[in-house]
């Protein structure tokens, strides 16, 4: 069985990946792709390996003809399309931040703009490995941020098992490839600026993904210090590697908690002791890969790696779509 | 003795290099630096290794207080500032294309806009190794294009010695780092687009540097087929390597002509037989490096390498400034 | 139906790609993978995304248990294994240079070593789009070199149609990513040497791929000047872009000849007029992409792009395997 | 006044930088350069921008004719040359690890080999900003490791002012360009392995630079938990950026301590509040750059950036040489 789907914002990096995945998905047929700036041209003009699909503007998209839509749009724009799609009876996977935060006041605090559609909140948070039951058959899912996915895969199992040392800082040093910043022309993302450079940005308590990380950590029972989050821009096109420094009450129990959380998961892999996660483990793969190294002072060093465009965005969106539609969760992502 | 100079357009890649060179120049003192978008902030905000000089807008630049100006401005804007500076008695090195083409009709044909100051034309073309006598003591010099420098260093000596086979195509396959395209935010120059890619652009008879190349080749006596010029964008920040395929009447004479042209030149180096010019020879160096490999069919393969921001722009501008001011030509470029 | 296959030399860049393709191939089952240096460990230790297959040394490979083998071995070693495999009744796709040259004297001239198995020669040259009939059902196929594939796809149709201008040089300026040089540790391939650099090597008449290019060009009727071939090393991991400058007797006929040669080919694509082939068209794709730009002096500028590890090696090997086994030629390469 | 110097191990990345600096140094004349593998050829063959100096083997170096030597040699080899040089009356800056550790037993513990010349120990540790008085006029100086320099510049002022929270982990997440690993051919340093990748290595308590970091921290009065050190390999050629997460008793006092330590230092720069250190601040510069960001839980996030080949090796060696010889400390590094 195949359903018709639409992709809004198809010419960005995430949109292109998503279309590529959906074109190969056994149960999806891409019915339309949208772009405001490139409407009227083929998606192939946006990338030479993309399929030859004609782009339309969002308002011309035949929303009535699809069963589900994927929204790769800027925040605030996304929520409005989500509302319209749900009204038409289409299911929605929203890859923007709009539907991730349950409380519109917290959304406004981080995104500096009133929430465009507070009536839609809360929506289920689409991190299947941690939240699968809320996603099965859902009408609408908020797809997590790329950094947030990398961090929550590590911290939620520790919080659920109550293994964090109370009062100790939770330090996260993360590095992302450039596509995480989108495809809009900005001087600081030019090749001449990024090549041969490496730079921190929005460090400490400033990055917006903290909003969803803290919400989901609280839901998991975490009541410790707010995480210290230090993202950096890597001179690579894709991939996130985050080093999480967690002081835990029991190093063995902490490793077990993480290992058991993903023991049966096809798309999250905890490496054997002694191996370290790297970008090479995850780039162009729908899997997240974790490694754990116990150190002095009950500090567990956890490396969390994923492809920001896949497990951090497009392939996780496909997981969520599969759960919505009751397809096998890895359909279109792993060989059957 | 020191003279005061100003740099217009100091926040671009070429401007930054030029300020760096002038700050270390024994006879120059940078009196002002301009930027329209960043006026009021320090040049250091444009690059962390730049000197802490306050940027002013062009109209606020104290033109009366300087002996010479360097113009790193877009074409059409540059010529107007050049005219104003010359009227104030300041000497001018113009790094834009505005003053390179003797004939305003040809300028308009290539640049698709009427020449802004046809009265200023013609100006001496600032390629010192080929044209030094016209530059000594000049009031105003048109600094050549980066590709044009790489190509003319090879082809002018062959044309002067009348060594090209009549009627044979002159093929030039050139590759440039990304800074050659400037520092303005454009999607096709984003890291995510350039990394892992390599792409030709404006190939055949389309690139604007052909206008000055053809003018200077004609001046050198070339009357063969118009050059076929195929530029490519390299995933590097800086450097040009051009392969010139010249059918010559005498392979030995051709090599001699090039070797002798630069035998006494400190800033152009012809490598010994068997060595090949590479970007590593020239990046961050004010020297151009050439290599010659004779091949079948009387084809001489000449590699011409230079740093597009130095010998292709800023350091050549300093050579021209030195010639204007009767300083040693390599002052500020090579150890005394 | 599925056949068992073995891959010799699986830990190099080409071997890894080939195993990845074969693991996803609907008709192949990888029965063994070999490595001399890594025998006894898992292929995954050679790359974290490789399948978990145990490596054996070549002499321990169960040659009797497979229907076909792929040889990703250094030249001279490869031919000997090919002979042994054929004796065991296994079919062979040899990705080394050993079986590409019909005449052992010419092999010795270019490879500086006597041919190890002259009795095996000649073998069919595995460029399916140019040579399909000789490959269908073959017992053994010599898989072409990566540069050779890029060049022959362009030049053979022109030679067959007798469109080259007699006596004019045929100039080929080619650029390849680093994996084309293999995965052995060599100083000149270190990141610190290649990054920010771009360098020609083995230029003129020196590169070994000229041996097979000239042989196949001659077979296609070419009797012009030997090609001038100028390869360069790009700071990218994969991809070849070659610019071929062909003086032709008729620009329209030449474009037609190339366009018609691939009109029905799923794995070679001639772009519409005005578009230029780039690495972004081909990296991680089994397709070669060509573009044609007519220029002055009856010079046709043809860009030929392919992924050196795929159409230049592993995916072409799968095409050849498919032809050998009478599977659809794109099985395992394009969606069914 | 000029003194004659020799550089041992001149063909590695550090050696090449050092020769470049010394050639431009107003008081040094490079009398010899050594290499075991390239003896008899010119240094220029090792890098096209290097000076044309003939390489000799170490045993042929005219040690009697120089006033000082720089040792860019592997550990164990270096100490033996240091002993010989000192016996000949030449001063020594040793860039290897051999003379950094006061206690030969600790050396053996980390380097897994008995110390080759225990009689030479201890030697002054050449981090001028922290240790200048011990270096002035010294006969021999142990030049610090690149990571060690980045870490000690941050942690020693905090330790001296006793600002670390007792019992809290000291977490250091560091990233280095590839030249930090040397210029020997190793598969894991190939362009094809490093490009598009980012990987941790030797994490926790494994990296050898911890030996000298702990020694110097102890000397500064630190008695807290041993640092947790997590280095990563960046896909850049040069530069280190380390994020140090220090729990301090007083955030203001900690920032003051660091700021005051370098207030008068020309080669270490603490950025103003709100600015973040990046690789772009330091690559190809002899300066280290620090930034400080206070965060929750009394965690001070300090970014420490330097060029691993300069402040992390060659330019720091020149600082030490200058101190030895009573030249201005920045001679040859900054404009006079």
């Amino acid at each position: 069985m195949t359903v018709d789907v639409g992709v809004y914002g198809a010419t960005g990096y995430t949109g292109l990946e998503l279309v590529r995945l959906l074109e190969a998905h056994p149960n999806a047929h891409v019915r339309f792709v949208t772009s405001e700036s490139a409407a009227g041209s083929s998606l192939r003009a946006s990338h030479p390996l993309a399929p030859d699909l004609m782009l339309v503007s969002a308002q011309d998209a035949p929303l009535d003809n699809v069963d589900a839509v994927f929204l790769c749009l800027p925040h605030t724009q996304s929520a409005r399309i989500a509302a319209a799609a749900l009204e038409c009876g289409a299911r929605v996977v929203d890859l923007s931040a709009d539907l991730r935060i349950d409380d519109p006041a917290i959304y406004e605090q981080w995104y500096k703009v009133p929430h465009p559609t507070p009536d839609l909140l809360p929506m289920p948070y689409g991190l299947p490995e941690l939240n699968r039951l809320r996603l099965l058959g859902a009408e609408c899912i908020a797809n997590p941020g790329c950094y947030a996915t990398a961090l929550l895969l590590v911290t939620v199992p520790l919080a659920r098992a109550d293994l964090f040392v109370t009062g100790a800082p939770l330090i996260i040093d993360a590095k992302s490839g450039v596509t995480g910043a989108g495809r809009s022309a900005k001087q600081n993302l030019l090749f001449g600026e990024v090549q041969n450079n490496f730079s921190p940005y929005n460090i400490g308590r400033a990055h917006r993904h903290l909003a969803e990380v803290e919400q989901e950590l609280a839901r998991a029972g975490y009541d410790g210090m707010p995480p210290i989050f230090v993202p950096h821009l890597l001179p690579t096109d894709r991939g996130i590697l985050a080093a999480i420094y967690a002081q835990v009450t029991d190093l063995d129990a902490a490793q077990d908690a993480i290992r058991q959380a993903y023991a049966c998961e096809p798309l999250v892999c905890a490496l054997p002791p002694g191996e370290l996660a790297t970008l090479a483990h995850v780039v162009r793969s729908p899997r997240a890969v974790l490694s754990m190294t116990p150190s002095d002072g009950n500090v567990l060093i956890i490396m969390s790696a994923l492809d920001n465009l896949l497990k951090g965005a497009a392939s996780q969106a496909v997981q969520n779509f599969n759960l919505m539609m009751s397809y096998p969760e890895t359909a279109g992502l792993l060989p059957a």
Side-chain angles (χ1 to χ4, degrees), chain A residues 146-277:
Chain A
C146 50
Y147 278 129
T149 300
L151 307 189
L152 290 168
L153 287 174
V154 168
T155 50
V156 165
L158 297 179
R160 286 183 178 166
D162 197 20
L163 285 161
F164 283 105
V165 169
T166 310
L170 172 55
I171 289 168
I172 299 160
D173 190 294
K175 304 87 180 172
S176 174
V178 180
T179 53
R183 206 182 185 190
S184 300
K186 294 180 191 161
Q187 193 186 57
N188 67 315
L189 302 179
L190 291 177
F191 185 88
E193 308 294 306
V194 172
Q195 176 80 334
N196 300 323
N197 198 359
F198 176 68
S199 51
Y201 64 98
N202 289 353
I203 77 173
R205 300 278 311 140
H207 195 285
R208 288 167 167 180
H209 284 188
L210 281 175
E212 57 193 279
V213 167
E214 289 176 18
Q215 167 182 289
E216 297 303 310
L217 269 179
R219 204 193 302 278
Y222 181 77
D223 59 359
M225 286 182 48
I228 293 177
F229 178 47
V230 178
H232 301 74
L233 187 67
L234 275 175
T236 64
D237 55 356
R238 50 204 285 171
I240 283 177
L241 186 83
I244 293 139
Y245 299 91
Q247 274 184 272
V248 294
T249 51
D250 181 329
L251 282 168
D252 288 332
Q255 294 176 79
D256 285 350
I258 290 173
R259 206 170 289 287
Q260 284 172 21
Y262 306 114
C264 302
E265 291 292 345
L267 295 176
V268 179
C269 167
L271 294 176
E275 292 188 23
L276 292 172

Side-chain angles (χ1 to χ4, degrees), chain A residues 34-318:
Chain A
T34 84
S35 165
E36 301 316 297
S37 58
S41 67
S42 166
L43 187 62
R44 183 163 295 162
S46 293
H47 193 283
L49 291 177
D52 188 16
L53 298 171
M54 188 58 50
L55 290 156
V56 297
S57 73
Q59 68 173 22
D60 294 338
L63 204 41
D64 289 330
N65 297 345
V66 292
D67 301 282
V69 294
F70 295 84
L71 311 183
C72 306
L73 296 172
H75 64 276
T76 73
Q77 292 178 36
S78 207
R80 291 196 184 89
I81 304 273
L86 289 168
E87 239 170 74
C88 286
R91 295 177 195 243
V92 173
V93 180
D94 180 15
L95 289 87
S96 86
D98 278 350
L99 305 180
R100 295 176 193 158
I101 312 297
D102 297 347
D103 180 345
I106 292 182
Y107 178 92
E108 184 165 353
Q109 172 192 326
W110 284 92
Y111 289 90
K112 311 296 178 201
V113 63
H115 196 283
T117 61
D119 293 353
L120 291 183
L121 303 179
M123 280 294 178
Y125 187 76
L127 224 166
E129 288 80 4
L130 299 177
N131 208 20
R132 187 168 284 122
L133 291 183
R134 293 187 67 203
L135 306 173
L136 274 163
E139 296 294 315
C140 178
I141 294 178
N143 211 61
C146 50
Y147 278 129
T149 300
L151 307 189
L152 290 168
L153 287 174
V154 168
T155 50
V156 165
L158 297 179
R160 286 183 178 166
D162 197 20
L163 285 161
F164 283 105
V165 169
T166 310
L170 172 55
I171 289 168
I172 299 160
D173 190 294
K175 304 87 180 172
S176 174
V178 180
T179 53
R183 206 182 185 190
S184 300
K186 294 180 191 161
Q187 193 186 57
N188 67 315
L189 302 179
L190 291 177
F191 185 88
E193 308 294 306
V194 172
Q195 176 80 334
N196 300 323
N197 198 359
F198 176 68
S199 51
Y201 64 98
N202 289 353
I203 77 173
R205 300 278 311 140
H207 195 285
R208 288 167 167 180
H209 284 188
L210 281 175
E212 57 193 279
V213 167
E214 289 176 18
Q215 167 182 289
E216 297 303 310
L217 269 179
R219 204 193 302 278
Y222 181 77
D223 59 359
M225 286 182 48
I228 293 177
F229 178 47
V230 178
H232 301 74
L233 187 67
L234 275 175
T236 64
D237 55 356
R238 50 204 285 171
I240 283 177
L241 186 83
I244 293 139
Y245 299 91
Q247 274 184 272
V248 294
T249 51
D250 181 329
L251 282 168
D252 288 332
Q255 294 176 79
D256 285 350
I258 290 173
R259 206 170 289 287
Q260 284 172 21
Y262 306 114
C264 302
E265 291 292 345
L267 295 176
V268 179
C269 167
L271 294 176
E275 292 188 23
L276 292 172
T278 70
L279 283 199
H281 284 85
V282 297
V283 169
R284 296 176 199 279
S285 153
R287 275 195 188 87
V289 171
L290 311 177
S291 66
M292 293 174 279
T293 310
S295 190
D296 288 21
N298 266 22
V299 173
L300 185 62
I301 309 168
I302 308 129
M303 296 287 162
S304 176
L306 53 76
D307 187 317
N308 57 300
L309 297 178
L310 292 175
K311 183 62 178 166
S315 73
Q316 186 144 273
V318 172

